Amino acid sequence: MGNSTSIARRSKRSWSSLANPFSQAPPVEKSPVQRPIEKILIANRGEIACRIIKTARSLGLKTVAVYSDADRNSLHVRRADEAVFIGPATCPLLPSSTLLVALEPMQSIPAAISLMGDKSASKKLMSGANVPVVPGYHGDDQSHELLQSEADRIGYPVLIKPVLGGGGKGMRIVHSRDEFLDSLRSALRESAAAFGDTRVLIEKYIAQPRHIEVQIFGDRFGNVVHLFERDCSVQRRHQKIIEEAPAPLMSDDFRNSIGQAAVNAAKAVNYENAGTVEFIVDTATGDFFFMEMNTRLQVEHPVTEMVTRQDLVEWQIRVANGESLPLEQKSIPLQGHAFEARVYAENVPRGFLPAAGVLYHYNPPTASSTVRIETGVEQSDAVAGLPTNIHFLKKLAKHPAFRAGDLETQLLDFSERAKRDVKSFAALAAVGVCVRESFRRPESRTGGPWHTTSGFRVNNPYTRKISLDWMPESESLSCEPMSLDVTYSSDSEFLVKIHLVSNTAKRVASSGCDITVDINGISSTISYGYYLQKSAYHIHV
Ligand code: ADP
Ligand code: MG
């Protein structure tokens, strides 16, 4: 989540006027006296590194930033007391030789991190610890035949997830058996590239879920508390966009039982530190299931801090210093309501393409008792480009479903659905092109909104690609050219395929430009009209 700025709002209470959040409750067990922490190495960057520096400074601790060639001039490097160069821009966030050596003495923490980093292992463990998990397959046997038969057993739709996944990468929804192997292969390709691992798990895909996660905290005396939940259902491609605390429209009973399940999950791994237990809630049944545990302080922690009036980085430092948790469960307040929106440098109309460039103008709202800004950038930083998602976030905040608290993770997929409709129309238009071409030689075609590329013939049938340019009428649709595969099986019959939509078209010989088209199994007769206007070739469907 580098190069981002997030803004959290809270009503009434002031961030700077935290009432002493750290009670003097005696530790559950006497801890061996530790040498107090004097300096903190921050193995991260961006706004979260800046966030840690803020609290460390307020506690009189020194900080050490790490940087690569890519973030040599970043804000976190400027803000820290010291900065250490750890390698070229391509190095991973935690280069093993340099930083893991420093982590080694913290045995229990890396054990929980690696266990929870494995989505399959953690789910097996959770099923044994009284934490409900999504029905699925979490096994070691990764043969394609077995994965397919497990998907059949679970029942479609299913979700394929990389075992070591993160950030929504490599996940594929599979709607039916015949899509499974193609989706598996593409999930494996993406997972190999992103995580260097090709193990996957398969679970039941919950059609209208809410993503509710619980902030938990553990100390070395075995105490675990939760700091209530965040609703992170507003997502795009499985990545969070707006987070809020507490979750809207949630009963106290539900809050208590999901909080307790999160505490059980953390206890099952003797967890010490800040963590987040993510649950998926089936809005149809009200059931909730463990999804994964994130063993770190997350980008969205400020909404929790705003409603509980705690400084979670301070909690982390105290716990790491050998102190017990600052508050008991029953003393943790929950007051007010907070939202966090993630501002990214990305080009929304162009399919949320990440943008890069110089940040010429940066004018965030003024921080106040109700507005909080966490940022990893400053004006004139060479990290963020001009286009941002701010307009998109504003539209989202005004969306009636969002305002009503009627959240589910597919909220933003309305645009995905619209895209699918567009794809159906594009496929129909492609049918029109192909039918028209059966009267003309493909080579003689010119101009218009259509290009033909790489039509090749391998005996019969042959497949060619048609790429279609189109203009979006709505900003929520991308305007990337659409690529269609056309396979001719006979003179009058061919198959047009776009991801998720497949149309078989057969020309009805008797009626000129009427064509029988089979769209995903539903047959209809479509009339096509062809005309030339302003020297462009048009097809009217
Ligand atoms: P990541 O490590 O990428 O965060 P998660 O397992 O947390 O992976 O899943 C990311 C998102 O994908 C969730 O927030 C949720 O929106 C969606 N998701 C995960 N599992 C399911 C499921 N079984 N059914 C429906 N959606 C799911
Ligand atoms: Mg997750």
Side-chain angles (χ1 to χ4, degrees):
M1 298 295 125
N3 307 344
S4 67
T5 295
S6 68
I7 300 171
R9 276 178 193 276
R10 178 170 65 93
S11 42
K12 307 237 168 46
R13 312 221 173 252
S14 154
W15 169 247
S16 55
S17 68
L18 284 171
N20 174 19
F22 302 103
S23 79
Q24 299 305 309
V28 175
E29 189 183 291
K30 267 271 172 258
S31 55
V33 177
Q34 284 245 143
R35 209 172 133 233
I37 293 171
E38 289 160 12
K39 206 191 252 187
I40 296 173
L41 179 123
I42 304 170
N44 211 327
R45 57 186 174 186
E47 88 290 334
I48 197 78
C50 296
R51 164 73 191 89
I52 293 162
I53 292 169
K54 217 189 297 179
T55 291
R57 182 151 296 161
S58 77
L59 296 172
L61 304 175
K62 296 258 179 279
T63 52
V64 184
V66 292
Y67 65 95
S68 71
D69 284 332
D71 41 24
R72 188 179 286 279
N73 300 314
S74 298
L75 188 61
H76 78 284
V77 173
R78 295 198 292 272
R79 291 256 165 100
D81 297 299
E82 291 169 42
V84 180
F85 178 67
I86 53 169
T90 49
C91 77
L93 205 57
L94 281 175
S96 50
S97 53
T98 327
L99 294 181
L100 287 183
V101 172
L103 285 173
E104 235 162 59
M106 300 148 73
Q107 291 299 345
S108 69
I109 298 172
I113 291 175
S114 61
L115 183 62
M116 286 306 188
D118 182 316
K119 291 186 203 285
S120 284
S122 62
K123 279 181 175 138
K124 277 187 229 162
L125 184 83
M126 290 309 150
S127 339
N130 234 349
V131 182
V133 302
V134 189
Y137 171 74
H138 312 120
D140 296 330
D141 186 341
Q142 293 281 314
S143 74
H144 291 198
E145 301 71 40
L146 183 87
L147 293 174
Q148 166 99 66
S149 75
E150 286 296 324
D152 295 345
R153 177 185 62 80
I154 295 161
Y156 297 92
V158 298
L159 192 62
I160 303 175
K161 273 189 199 178
V163 167
L164 299 186
K169 285 206 187 81
M171 300 204 320
R172 293 289 181 281
I173 303 166
V174 187
H175 295 279
S176 63
R177 183 172 212 279
D178 56 334
E179 281 174 21
F180 184 82
L181 286 176
D182 278 351
S183 301
L184 177 63
R185 284 187 202 106
S186 92
L188 294 178
R189 271 197 302 277
E190 195 172 319
S191 175
F195 315 112
D197 188 88
T198 55
R199 285 168 301 146
V200 294
L201 61 97
I202 296 172
E203 60 189 36
K204 181 79 195 155
Y205 179 69
I206 294 163
Q208 292 191 315
R210 269 169 85 174
H211 173 120
I212 307 267
E213 58 183 38
V214 180
Q215 176 72 53
I216 56 95
F217 233 101
D219 66 17
R220 70 182 52 173
F221 309 100
N223 302 312
V224 178
V225 295
H226 69 80
L227 292 99
F228 307 101
E229 77 287 348
R230 294 185 283 263
D231 193 315
C232 307
S233 299
V234 182
Q235 304 186 342
R236 187 182 162 271
R237 301 212 169 147
H238 309 299
Q239 293 210 49
K240 301 162 185 170
I241 296 179
I242 293 185
E243 296 101 352
E244 75 181 280
L249 310 176
M250 187 188 267
S251 71
D252 284 345
D253 274 357
F254 192 88
R255 175 163 294 124
N256 289 337
S257 51
I258 205 165
Q260 188 54 51
V263 167
N264 294 347
K267 284 192 167 163
V269 285
N270 302 318
Y271 195 67
E272 187 187 324
N273 187 12
T276 297
V277 184
E278 295 189 336
F279 293 96
I280 190 156
V281 181
D282 188 338
T283 55
T285 61
D287 295 334
F288 65 83
F289 305 102
F290 171 88
M291 210 159 30
E292 66 167 340
M293 178 167 166
N294 296 319
T295 47
R296 61 175 184 274
L297 188 73
Q298 290 177 293
V299 174
E300 50 273 40
H301 76 280
V303 290
T304 298
E305 293 188 322
M306 297 295 261
V307 296
T308 59
R309 297 194 291 141
Q310 307 303 311
D311 179 335
L312 296 184
V313 176
E314 183 167 351
W315 279 48
Q316 286 190 292
I317 294 169
R318 290 189 185 276
V319 161
N321 206 29
E323 296 177 31
S324 62
L325 291 176
L327 289 178
E328 290 171 23
Q329 186 67 62
K330 60 178 190 312
S331 325
I332 299 172
L334 174 63
Q335 261 171 322
H337 204 99
F339 292 96
E340 175 173 311
R342 299 187 188 203
V343 178
Y344 289 117
E346 60 187 11
N347 193 325
V348 175
R350 303 190 113 224
F352 295 82
L353 215 64
V358 175
L359 185 61
Y360 290 114
H361 176 74
Y362 174 65
N363 185 18
T366 313
S368 70
S369 59
T370 57
V371 176
R372 178 170 164 185
I373 297 140
E374 297 296 336
T375 183
V377 294
E378 278 182 326
Q379 185 151 305
S380 81
D381 274 355
V383 292
L386 282 179
T388 70
N389 63 343
I390 292 174
H391 179 63
F392 171 75
L393 291 171
K394 284 184 174 166
K395 273 173 67 174
L396 196 55
K398 286 187 190 142
H399 194 284
F402 180 76
R403 295 201 144 193
D406 183 11
L407 304 179
E408 46 124 335
T409 63
Q410 318 286 296
L411 177 69
L412 290 181
D413 287 350
F414 64 90
S415 60
E416 306 289 331
R417 272 199 294 276
K419 246 183 247 171
R420 231 173 286 159
D421 291 343
V422 167
K423 284 179 178 175
S424 298
F425 287 122
L428 286 178
V431 167
V433 175
C434 298
V435 169
R436 182 68 179 178
E437 282 185 345
S438 55
F439 303 118
R440 322 162 77 196
R441 288 192 316 130
E443 297 76 23
S444 69
R445 288 188 56 255
T446 52
W450 306 93
H451 320 290
T452 306
T453 51
S454 69
F456 60 93
R457 185 182 286 271
V458 190
N459 302 323
N460 246 343
Y462 83 95
T463 298
R464 59 189 280 225
K465 277 202 188 307
I466 292 180
S467 125
L468 161 67
D469 279 339
W470 55 286
M471 294 294 290
E473 283 191 350
S474 143
E475 196 192 1
S476 59
L477 300 176
S478 85
C479 49
E480 298 142 24
M482 201 172 281
S483 171
L484 309 94
D485 287 319
V486 182
T487 305
Y488 296 82
S489 48
S490 76
D491 254 4
S492 64
E493 197 169 358
F494 45 85
L495 179 74
V496 180
K497 252 189 145 167
I498 311 183
H499 182 58
L500 285 184
V501 177
S502 100
N503 297 357
T504 310
K506 193 180 172 87
R507 187 143 53 94
V508 181
S510 58
S511 46
C513 278
D514 281 358
I515 300 162
T516 305
V517 182
D518 188 312
I519 303 169
N520 284 340
I522 298 167
S523 194
S524 30
T525 299
I526 313 277
S527 290
Y528 288 85
Y530 299 89
Y531 59 95
L532 208 67
Q533 193 180 53
K534 289 188 185 144
S535 69
Y537 194 58
H538 287 66
I539 298 176
H540 188 98
V541 182

